[in-house]
Amino acid sequence: MAEFTLELNDDQKQVRDWLHGFAADVIRPAASEWDEREETPWPVIQEAAKVGIYSLDFYAQQFFDPTGLGIPMAMEELFWGDAGIALSIVGTGLAAVGVLANGTEEQIGTWIPQMYGDADDVKVAAFCSSEPDAGSDVASMRTRAVYDQAKDEWVLNGTKTWATNGGIANVHVVVAVVDPELGSKGHASFIVPPGTPGLSQGQKFKKHGIRASHTAEVVLEDVRVPGHCLLGGKEKLDQRLARARERAATGGERVKNAAMATFEASRPAVGAMAVGTARAAYEVALDYAKTRTQFGRPIIDNQGVAFQLADMRTQIDAARLLVWRASWMATTGKPFESAEGSMSKLYASETAKKVTAQAVQILGGNGFTREYPVERMHRDAAIYTIFEGTSEIQRLVIARTLSGMPIR
């Protein structure tokens, strides 16, 4: 088991510097254009594929880093470049995590490569969980999956929303209800292969931030998928449902659902994204404060500005430490007994919102214009306290874990 450390090894530093160079040379110069266009930056994704960043091999190497720091380090550097473009590059990862968390080895080997494609023909994937009436309240999910035993097929019907890459994805991973009486315990995840009839893109959302990332509804109308597209397989599902029914009848231990397993595994990574955006805004504000003069001296000479920058840097470093701790714990199999994953996502997300707002304030009127990147960073940062579990949900998870009480 890898010991917890605050020092990256030489290989990790090399990867970090490589990613930082790509973010600085490729992502940042394109950030403003694709934010304005509000379109998926396919040329940038393809460049990432050509150099090996957008690939199954790269993410596998980072995911299986024995220290747990590979993924958060990568996320921080890419999102330091630009959150919208970076999310387009890494958005496929949530669907991949959904398969890794719930699928069989055969399913992992079959479907994850198809999520990425190759450098000459890049593909993306989508994880579809949220619904118009079921975001934080996953128990209200209405998308149904009904098993057709005669054909060994599952029939999916419903509408998903807020799906990154929804409708444009080669592979969709869809969470659906298989047993309504079990609430959130009666959910399962399904692969919808490319070209499956009945799946279509609904509304594409015009967003406040991360506008280079495609977000849309996914409509499922009598979508039929083969039995082998049920992640984990039917035997495992039947066993899990039977345990859930038994525990529901006896008031016993709760069982985690498929969507929550995915989100729990990805929360520290989202925290790392927030750290990257916060760090980027802080660096812009620091440089500006050193060069901007008022009343004959740089504005950083004023305590009101200098103390803000001191707090910003302290909060960013604290957020990174929480993310690294949670990532190390997840990789080394240590349970989140105090909801450390949610802690990391909560603190880093709130830090990103606060730090980017302070950066805008330090730049003054310039910070409020699109001539400076902190305006975009501030818009982008708003998403971190919303997606993959709002800050309120993170606090609920933490409070329930600490107290052992069903806090509402």
Side-chain angles (χ1 to χ4, degrees):
M1 180 182 295
E3 295 296 325
F4 182 67
T5 177
L6 301 179
E7 180 69 23
L8 298 178
N9 60 42
D10 289 341
D11 289 341
Q12 291 169 327
K13 290 177 181 177
Q14 185 176 7
V15 172
R16 179 199 61 191
D17 293 344
W18 172 53
L19 291 170
H20 186 81
F22 183 85
D25 297 339
V26 180
I27 294 178
R28 279 205 169 177
S32 179
E33 175 189 351
W34 292 98
D35 177 70
E36 293 287 346
R37 292 176 63 167
E38 299 191 50
E39 297 174 359
T40 300
W42 291 107
V44 182
I45 298 174
Q46 188 166 34
E47 285 300 310
K50 286 180 179 178
V51 300
I53 293 173
Y54 186 76
S55 70
L56 172 61
D57 288 344
F58 173 73
Y59 287 107
Q61 289 173 10
Q62 305 316 309
F63 186 83
F64 291 111
D65 181 332
T67 70
L69 301 185
I71 288 293
M73 176 194 64
M75 295 301 104
E76 180 176 338
E77 294 304 327
L78 292 173
F79 280 74
W80 173 89
D82 175 69
I85 291 178
L87 190 57
S88 288
I89 293 173
V90 308
T92 292
L94 186 59
V97 169
V99 176
L100 285 169
N102 302 296
T104 64
E105 290 187 8
E106 182 178 357
Q107 289 170 331
I108 291 169
T110 299
W111 296 111
I112 292 184
Q114 295 186 48
M115 294 179 175
Y116 290 95
D118 56 46
D120 296 322
D121 185 21
V122 294
K123 305 292 185 182
V124 295
F127 183 75
C128 308
S129 178
S130 294
E131 298 184 1
D133 296 319
S136 298
D137 183 12
V138 294
S140 297
M141 189 177 293
R142 295 181 180 178
T143 297
R144 290 293 307 275
V146 178
Y147 185 57
D148 183 343
Q149 187 170 1
K151 296 183 178 180
D152 186 26
E153 292 179 338
W154 289 89
V155 184
L156 280 62
N157 282 281
T159 299
K160 294 296 182 178
T161 194
W162 312 122
T164 298
N165 298 329
I168 66 171
N170 194 47
V171 176
H172 290 76
V173 178
V174 177
V175 182
V177 178
V178 295
D179 189 335
E181 295 183 359
L182 292 176
S184 62
K185 309 305 179 294
H187 297 175
S189 293
F190 299 85
I191 291 286
V192 180
T196 300
L199 184 147
S200 62
Q201 179 183 308
Q203 174 187 5
K204 178 187 175 183
F205 296 103
K206 296 179 73 67
K207 305 188 297 294
H208 175 65
I210 56 167
R211 300 197 303 191
S213 173
H214 177 96
T215 309
E217 291 180 331
V218 174
V219 180
L220 304 141
E221 297 179 311
D222 291 329
V223 172
R224 286 183 168 268
V225 299
H228 62 76
C229 287
L230 165 64
L231 289 181
K234 193 167 187 306
E235 181 178 353
K236 183 177 178 181
L237 172 65
D238 289 342
Q239 293 172 352
R240 179 167 62 81
L241 294 178
R243 291 196 302 270
R245 294 186 190 104
E246 181 181 351
R247 285 165 178 159
T250 61
E253 181 183 351
R254 297 166 63 186
V255 181
K256 292 178 182 176
N257 65 69
M260 287 302 100
T262 300
F263 290 138
E264 190 170 284
S266 63
R267 277 171 181 157
V270 176
M273 298 173 189
V275 170
T277 300
R279 189 183 111 211
Y282 158 77
E283 290 176 1
V284 172
L286 177 63
D287 289 342
Y288 185 88
K290 289 178 177 179
T291 58
R292 172 68 168 172
T293 59
Q294 288 288 281
F295 305 106
R297 60 181 184 177
I299 63 174
I300 200 170
D301 281 358
N302 300 300
Q303 285 188 2
V305 173
F307 284 8
Q308 281 195 75
L309 289 162
D311 286 343
M312 292 159 73
R313 176 59 186 267
T314 300
Q315 291 157 4
I316 291 167
D317 282 13
R320 182 184 298 109
L321 291 176
L322 284 171
V323 166
W324 282 18
R325 180 184 69 168
S327 301
W328 173 77
M329 290 177 67
T331 296
T332 55
K334 293 186 178 296
F336 290 159
E337 293 180 350
S338 298
E340 287 87 352
S342 288
M343 284 184 183
S344 70
K345 199 264 185 186
L346 170 65
Y347 190 80
S349 299
E350 295 291 344
T351 293
K353 280 188 68 174
K354 184 176 181 180
V355 165
T356 55
Q358 288 174 303
V360 170
Q361 189 70 24
I362 289 171
L363 269 68
N366 286 328
F368 201 64
T369 71
R370 295 190 183 182
E371 296 300 314
Y372 288 80
V374 293
E375 178 272 340
R376 183 180 68 251
M377 294 169 182
H378 184 42
R379 286 189 285 108
D380 291 341
I383 194 59
Y384 298 125
T385 62
I386 298 172
F387 73 174
E388 295 200 45
T390 64
S391 287
E392 291 75 20
I393 289 297
Q394 305 307 324
R395 292 185 176 100
L396 189 64
V397 171
I398 296 166
R400 285 177 174 174
T401 303
L402 296 178
S403 68
M405 301 296 289
I407 299 169
R408 297 181 181 275

